[in-house]
Amino acid sequence: MRRFTVPAVLIVMAVVLTAGIAWTQTVRIVVDAGDYTSIKPSMVRTSTTSSAVAEGTFIQIPPRRPRPEEETGPTDDGNAVYRVNVPTAGTYRLWARTWWYDSCGNSFFIVINDRPATYIEDATYQTWHWVRGPQVQLNAGTNTIRVQNREDGARLDQFMLTNNARYVPTRIEARTPQYIVK
Amino acid sequence: MIPMRGHGIRSVSGAIVAAALILTGAAAPTYALDDPVMLEETADPPYALAATLNVHDPNTLHTRLYVDYTDPDNTYVITCRRYEVHVERVLDGEVARIGATRPYGRMEPDSSLELTVRRDGWLIELILDGRVLARAWDSKLPAGQVGFAASGGEVADAMLQPLAGVYMTDDFMRGEESQGVWMPESGTWEIEPLRTDERSERMDADRSANAFTYQGRAEEGPAIVTAGYWFWNSYQVTAAVRPSETDPLGVLAYYQDPENYLLARWTSALCREDDSDRLQLVSVVDGERAVLAETRGGHLPRQWYELRLRVCGDVVQVLVDDEPMLVARVDLFGQGMPGLYTEGETGTFFDGVIVEDWEVLIEDFDTEIPGKWIARSGTWEVNSGAMESAGSGLRMLTGGRAEWEKYRCATEFEGRAAVGIAVCVDESSWYGLRIGTQGSGVEYEGEAQIVRADGGEIEVLSSAPAYVPGNGRHRMRVVVDDGLITGFLDGRRVLDAFDAAAQSGRIGLIAEGNGIARFDEVQVEMIPPMRIARVTDEFADVDAHPEMAEWASTRAPWVLPDEEGEPWWTKGSYFGDKTISFEISDVETSEGEVTLHLESSPEEPSRGMRLTLKTEEGSALITATLMAGDELLGEAEIETSGDPCPVRFERKGTWIVVAIDGEVILSEKR
């Protein structure tokens, strides 16, 4: 009996080690707007010297002139596509750092891995701020996120995917190049 | 986040042990007090350490929380035991207790309590189970790591939450199916696309600037909806409210759960309930309601009002239509979400919600709080509910945040010594209002002065006669607003001065000359942003928007000129301080001239102040000419680098100020 005890303990320890490392891993994937792999008009990349924007770059659907008087829906499917390498499969919350022109320019469609589109939206205008997006199931490995025109006048600076349900981004987040597929 | 024990050397093994113990169902680890767990990241203030304190045995519980930790000789340490809480600053190994604390004796064996440690540039707070147990003010140590150690329990699920300013708005202009950022806790909450009142049939959503509202209705108990995040603090929540009938309504702050929050509750003037016709400030703690303050006066059906609830530290205020109505001091929760509230089936309409930063400092010196106020020179002590300084020469006491800008600072004072308030205080310089009390023996006796001090040299920027006998109680106030410093004595404006460098910094109390000076009821509050009458592209374009041109809100304050090149005039008159601000794009490729009129009128455009700006193609120079009627007040030229280049033309107190590209180029007393 005794000679089997040590290997058994080692196996248990190995399982515990693996489970322990997995259990403690918090993932935060931060992508800057300029990290897209493709961009399609009317989505455009815009540079700025403003310190309110990460890496001096954001993407936007420029506001139409004159502004619509009512919601008219998107005029095209302008979008930017991002690819991220997710280290651990699981449930992730999407956060987006946005700037909305007004109540007719305050949302983006979000399409993840070609699943049905959802959207992000709130009613805090003319200031950069984080918007809580949907919770999504992500696979380990490469996942695709498409940010698409829903209303003109919407800007995006960063987005974040995290499996930490309690964490709330409040400032510019440090970019995580190790998870970004270019 | 992976906790690191012993400065990160054993981080992985620590995680493995923790995982192993959980997987095998064994008791959680109890860290030795002399072996703190440090979080991986260097914490960049402001932040909150959020964790769960698992109490095994309340009587032996001993928790230490480390803030701005550099090494064991340089850190803040919060000690939390069942009947003892204290905060220490350890600087080069020297230990000093700071702040005000209270214990939390309600700990139960084998219980779990939510724990938060908040840190910004000045304040450290410990919040346990929704109670503020410690509040200490200190900024002597640089930012560092955050950590913890415990015996008799454990600190679990630690996470570092970054903090930033609070700002959220909602005009409810969205589809009926969407709750937006709101999270209904109870009752029914719905977007109403048109106001459902007797006029609704005559209303056309296409003709309304905002036809959307948010309606709450209650069934059993109140209807509550919340927004924002658990870590929000020091904010004001403002909402337009419209009672359908006579049901009570309100706004919430520091919402924890359905049984713990602060509430500004307003009842109907027409209701016959016992608590009708009044505005109340209510605390709900563990489900128990307590009225902290109340005043007579209720709301009327179908009338729009603006209701505002402010919370900062232990100060809570309620305002209706911008009028302060209630104030109370209560130290509950310390953080939490804002929310909307209604009772009854007919419910309440809400609109135009704004949640934004609100900070106030009210100091009554009832108790001495070590570390909050720092004697820079002279002797200062709390005595009989006032801060007192005796001696001779210049004495200064400082406090507050280095980041404070655009604020008012007031204090009551008495005694024979000359007194003052310092603003924009940094390590070597400050500005201030000083009053030469009768009998003080100072060279400015009988005068009020605004001064600038730099490296021990004091320069008088302005002075005015001020008779203050040494035997009464008086109140002085200083307002610092983007370079303008204004002094008030006993509610009367006495003098001002302008210095573009007077922007931000701490506050101070000043005593000088013979005798004692006593200060009480020090109050600091931030100046709210100016209201804007804005011209935007779409409302300048009358061809595209003829229906909007004359009445839509953003255009409404302005009169369209008959001919191109004629001035745009505001419809109304603007009193007091005012600013015209705009941007010039592509200065180097622009050639032209623009004239701005301030305190003038269409009938007499040459009256008042006139600023003319000229640009020439191929040059980054802007030439500014400032006129008062036919009198030339000043000329200046600036080479711009910003694009677009911001321009500000302002009336600030008795000063006219011109700033281009962020630099003040003209400031004339007029």
Side-chain angles (χ1 to χ4, degrees):
Chain A
M1 284 292 287
R2 184 167 182 151
R3 61 186 166 175
F4 292 105
T5 304
V6 173
V9 167
L10 287 174
I11 290 166
V12 168
M13 282 188 67
V15 170
V16 165
L17 283 173
T18 309
I21 291 167
W23 171 71
T24 54
Q25 190 170 32
T26 292
V27 179
R28 230 181 277 164
I29 300 170
V30 179
V31 180
D32 276 323
D35 287 327
Y36 52 77
T37 54
S38 67
I39 189 165
K40 178 181 178 185
S42 60
M43 187 76 81
V44 296
R45 173 187 178 136
T46 304
S47 296
T48 175
T49 55
S50 170
S51 60
V53 174
E55 309 282 332
T57 301
F58 60 89
I59 58 167
Q60 64 168 330
I61 304 295
R64 277 182 281 158
R65 303 291 187 181
R67 296 289 294 149
E69 291 166 28
E70 57 190 33
E71 304 266 355
T72 56
T75 52
D76 57 46
D77 65 346
N79 64 71
V81 176
Y82 301 85
R83 291 200 169 84
V84 295
N85 190 10
V86 175
T88 310
T91 303
Y92 285 73
R93 168 76 69 186
L94 178 107
W95 291 88
R97 189 163 190 267
T98 64
W99 186 101
W100 310 130
Y101 186 86
D102 60 13
S103 60
C104 294
N106 61 329
S107 66
F108 279 116
F109 281 121
I110 302 290
V111 181
I112 297 176
N113 293 336
D114 291 326
R115 291 183 202 135
T118 180
Y119 65 95
I120 51 168
E121 176 191 48
D122 74 359
T124 298
Y125 311 127
Q126 306 259 336
T127 187
W128 288 106
H129 65 289
W130 285 94
V131 179
R132 181 164 47 195
Q135 276 197 318
V136 292
Q137 203 66 31
L138 296 182
N139 313 316
T142 301
N143 290 257
T144 303
I145 295 98
R146 190 165 85 234
V147 180
Q148 184 168 313
N149 181 12
R150 187 169 184 267
E151 294 176 294
D152 60 293
R155 300 175 182 178
L156 178 85
D157 177 34
Q158 292 186 310
F159 69 85
M160 184 174 84
L161 293 158
T162 180
N163 60 0
N164 184 338
R166 291 192 301 155
Y167 185 84
V168 179
T170 59
R171 318 171 194 167
I172 291 174
E173 289 279 329
R175 182 172 172 267
T176 53
Q178 68 272 28
Y179 299 128
I180 299 169
V181 181
K182 296 285 275 188
Chain B
M1 182 168 301
I2 300 171
M4 303 197 303
R5 295 187 70 195
H7 312 272
I9 299 167
R10 286 167 289 170
S11 60
V12 175
S13 62
I16 292 164
V17 170
L21 289 170
I22 284 169
L23 289 170
T24 54
T30 299
Y31 298 117
L33 278 171
D34 56 359
D35 189 13
V37 176
M38 288 293 154
L39 298 184
E40 269 180 353
E41 302 167 45
T42 296
D44 181 22
Y47 60 80
L49 168 71
T52 302
L53 178 61
N54 294 322
V55 179
H56 304 321
D57 178 0
N59 293 320
T60 61
L61 178 75
H62 190 161
T63 310
R64 282 188 192 156
L65 303 150
Y66 296 82
V67 177
D68 290 346
Y69 179 96
T70 301
D71 57 52
D73 286 338
N74 292 281
T75 181
Y76 296 103
V77 186
I78 305 170
T79 299
C80 180
R81 307 177 78 163
R82 186 175 196 176
Y83 297 112
E84 180 194 7
V85 174
H86 60 259
V87 184
E88 293 168 325
R89 176 186 60 229
V90 186
L91 178 60
D92 295 331
E94 194 170 315
V95 180
R97 285 204 180 181
I98 56 174
T101 62
R102 59 177 170 167
Y104 187 60
R106 299 194 332 172
M107 295 176 188
E108 300 290 333
D110 299 319
S111 60
S112 293
L113 307 173
E114 292 300 314
L115 178 151
T116 307
V117 178
R118 302 181 66 99
R119 174 60 169 158
D120 62 25
W122 188 38
L123 181 60
I124 301 169
E125 287 177 297
L126 169 65
I127 301 167
L128 187 65
D129 197 24
R131 307 293 185 276
V132 180
L133 300 190
R135 195 170 273 145
W137 294 262
D138 200 274
S139 53
K140 290 196 170 174
L141 293 175
Q145 284 184 286
V146 177
F148 48 83
S151 63
E154 65 160 338
V155 177
D157 302 328
M159 184 194 77
L160 214 51
Q161 171 63 52
L163 304 178
V166 171
Y167 188 70
M168 185 204 103
T169 64
D170 204 345
D171 55 12
F172 303 102
M173 289 186 71
R174 57 177 166 269
E176 293 170 60
E177 77 288 353
S178 172
Q179 290 288 347
V181 297
W182 297 93
M183 294 164 281
E185 305 285 347
S186 57
T188 305
W189 293 89
E190 294 171 324
I191 298 284
E192 288 292 332
L194 275 177
R195 299 180 182 101
T196 55
D197 60 15
E198 70 276 8
R199 293 171 295 173
S200 62
E201 288 183 2
R202 301 200 299 272
M203 294 177 69
D204 182 348
D206 292 343
R207 299 288 174 184
S208 172
N210 177 0
F212 296 84
T213 60
Y214 196 41
Q215 187 181 21
R217 284 190 293 264
E219 291 155 11
E220 291 180 10
I224 290 174
V225 68
T226 61
Y229 302 105
W230 61 269
F231 52 82
W232 279 9
N233 78 342
S234 298
Y235 59 76
Q236 61 180 22
V237 51
T238 305
V241 297
R242 179 182 177 276
S244 297
E245 296 295 338
T246 58
D247 289 327
L249 58 87
V251 291
L252 302 171
Y254 289 1
Y255 182 88
Q256 315 287 306
D257 56 51
E259 299 198 324
N260 292 281
Y261 52 87
L262 294 172
L263 166 67
R265 181 176 181 266
W266 201 14
T267 61
S268 170
L270 304 183
C271 194
R272 295 189 181 278
E273 302 292 326
D274 289 345
D275 61 357
S276 65
D277 196 27
R278 68 193 65 186
L279 178 69
Q280 298 176 317
L281 182 53
V282 176
S283 68
V284 180
V285 180
D286 296 335
E288 293 291 320
R289 287 185 169 224
V291 177
L292 305 171
E294 67 176 6
T295 188
R296 301 294 294 189
H299 55 68
L300 296 172
R302 298 175 293 283
Q303 175 71 43
W304 280 103
Y305 305 89
E306 187 182 74
L307 184 60
R308 180 176 300 154
L309 176 59
R310 292 170 158 173
V311 284
C312 177
D314 63 351
V315 181
V316 189
Q317 291 182 1
V318 182
L319 299 88
V320 175
D321 291 341
D322 267 344
E323 286 292 322
M325 304 294 285
L326 296 172
V327 63
R329 307 289 292 266
V330 58
D331 224 343
L332 284 170
F333 312 128
Q335 59 189 7
M337 291 181 289
L340 308 175
Y341 174 99
T342 188
E343 298 175 21
E345 292 180 1
T346 62
T348 304
F349 293 92
F350 295 87
D351 204 350
V353 176
I354 303 174
V355 188
E356 57 197 326
D357 285 327
W358 183 71
E359 184 174 15
V360 67
L361 170 73
I362 297 178
E363 179 64 74
D364 54 18
F365 298 114
D366 281 351
T367 55
E368 184 153 17
I369 301 173
K372 188 173 185 181
W373 295 92
I374 307 295
R376 182 171 286 193
S377 57
T379 304
W380 295 82
E381 62 177 356
V382 172
N383 188 0
S384 304
M387 180 60 81
E388 189 174 283
S389 177
S392 59
L394 179 65
R395 291 98 77 188
M396 182 186 279
L397 184 77
T398 63
R401 297 180 193 282
E403 316 88 66
W404 275 346
E405 57 180 21
K406 290 179 181 278
Y407 58 86
R408 307 181 183 105
C409 178
T411 181
E412 295 188 357
F413 65 92
E414 57 186 342
R416 201 153 62 87
V419 294
I421 294 174
V423 292
C424 304
V425 177
D426 65 21
E427 296 309 310
S428 61
S429 67
W430 50 271
Y431 295 82
L433 167 68
R434 59 185 191 181
I435 308 285
T437 313
Q438 297 298 317
S440 59
V442 296
E443 60 184 21
Y444 53 94
E445 188 172 315
E447 286 184 17
Q449 294 184 333
I450 290 177
V451 299
R452 174 176 52 208
D454 194 357
E457 296 291 317
I458 292 182
E459 177 188 357
V460 178
L461 300 178
S462 68
S463 65
Y467 176 77
V468 178
N471 58 357
R473 192 174 175 97
H474 303 273
R475 188 162 184 83
M476 63 194 300
R477 178 158 61 103
V478 182
V479 180
V480 56
D481 182 4
D482 198 15
L484 179 69
I485 303 165
T486 310
F488 296 80
L489 178 61
D490 292 328
R492 191 168 56 88
R493 186 179 169 284
V494 179
L495 74 175
D496 66 14
F498 182 82
D499 185 333
Q503 292 291 332
S504 62
R506 297 186 170 87
I507 60 161
L509 302 176
I510 299 167
E512 191 171 13
N514 303 325
I516 290 172
R518 287 171 59 82
F519 297 87
D520 199 2
E521 300 298 330
V522 175
Q523 185 162 348
V524 180
E525 57 182 339
M526 304 301 123
I527 299 171
M530 296 174 95
R531 297 190 177 198
I532 296 173
R534 179 182 286 129
V535 179
T536 58
D537 290 351
E538 57 268 41
F539 294 116
D541 187 346
V542 290
D543 294 331
H545 296 278
E547 80 290 355
M548 306 287 268
E550 280 306 314
W551 64 269
S553 61
T554 47
R555 165 70 190 286
W558 297 87
V559 179
L560 182 69
D562 292 332
E563 294 179 23
E564 193 173 340
E566 292 292 307
W568 284 69
W569 293 100
T570 54
K571 284 181 179 171
S573 297
Y574 288 79
F575 301 94
D577 288 359
K578 58 194 80 69
T579 300
I580 301 176
S581 95
F582 64 103
E583 294 175 336
I584 301 176
S585 299
D586 305 319
V587 173
E588 285 198 65
T589 57
S590 301
E591 175 121 9
E593 181 179 306
V594 62
T595 299
L596 310 166
H597 299 261
L598 201 63
E599 299 173 345
S600 184
S601 71
E603 292 76 27
E604 290 183 88
S606 61
R607 194 170 63 99
M609 308 298 159
R610 207 162 66 252
L611 175 68
T612 302
L613 304 175
K614 288 182 185 172
T615 60
E616 287 187 14
E617 193 169 351
S619 167
L621 289 175
I622 294 180
T623 307
T625 307
L626 180 60
M627 306 284 291
D630 295 331
E631 182 186 350
L632 177 65
L633 290 184
E635 279 185 301
E637 204 170 56
I638 181 171
E639 178 144 12
T640 62
S641 56
D643 185 30
C645 173
V647 175
R648 293 173 69 85
F649 182 29
E650 304 179 87
R651 157 65 69 188
K652 296 178 80 72
T654 61
W655 295 76
I656 297 293
V657 178
V658 179
I660 296 178
D661 210 9
E663 186 179 331
V664 173
I665 60 165
L666 291 168
S667 57
E668 299 293 328
K669 194 169 177 67
R670 190 76 181 185

